Amino acid sequence: MSFFIFNILLAITITISCYLLGLFLFKKYKKSWLNPLYTASVMVVILLLFTPIKGESYQEGIELFSLLL
């Protein structure tokens, strides 16, 4: 149970952090190709590729966002 909660919190933290960083870059440089949704997606993919976080565990944790969409 605690592992499941940890997955949820980790996935939400990663997603929101990447979005906020993307929003910061978009506001700072004012470039249309730095849309926060695009940059956050790219950052999450890069983060998942270069860290030991498995895609399956990230997907389980982010299930709440998928449900809301």
Side-chain angles (χ1 to χ4, degrees):
M1 181 69 176
S2 64
F3 182 71
F4 181 70
I5 292 172
F6 177 74
N7 274 350
I8 292 173
L9 292 176
L10 180 66
I12 289 173
T13 303
I14 289 172
T15 305
I16 291 175
S17 299
C18 288
Y19 178 77
L20 291 176
L21 182 60
L23 187 63
F24 171 76
L25 291 172
F26 180 71
K27 287 183 178 181
K28 183 175 182 180
Y29 295 111
K30 306 242 190 287
K31 301 287 184 190
S32 62
W33 54 272
L34 282 176
N35 184 321
L37 293 176
Y38 301 147
T39 54
S41 299
V42 169
M43 285 188 273
V44 166
V45 168
I46 289 171
L47 189 66
L48 290 177
L49 286 175
F50 293 110
T51 58
I53 301 170
K54 294 183 180 178
E56 294 87 21
S57 63
Y58 177 78
Q59 185 64 33
E60 288 175 7
I62 211 66
E63 197 169 298
L64 177 65
F65 283 132
S66 298
L67 180 67
L68 291 175
L69 285 175

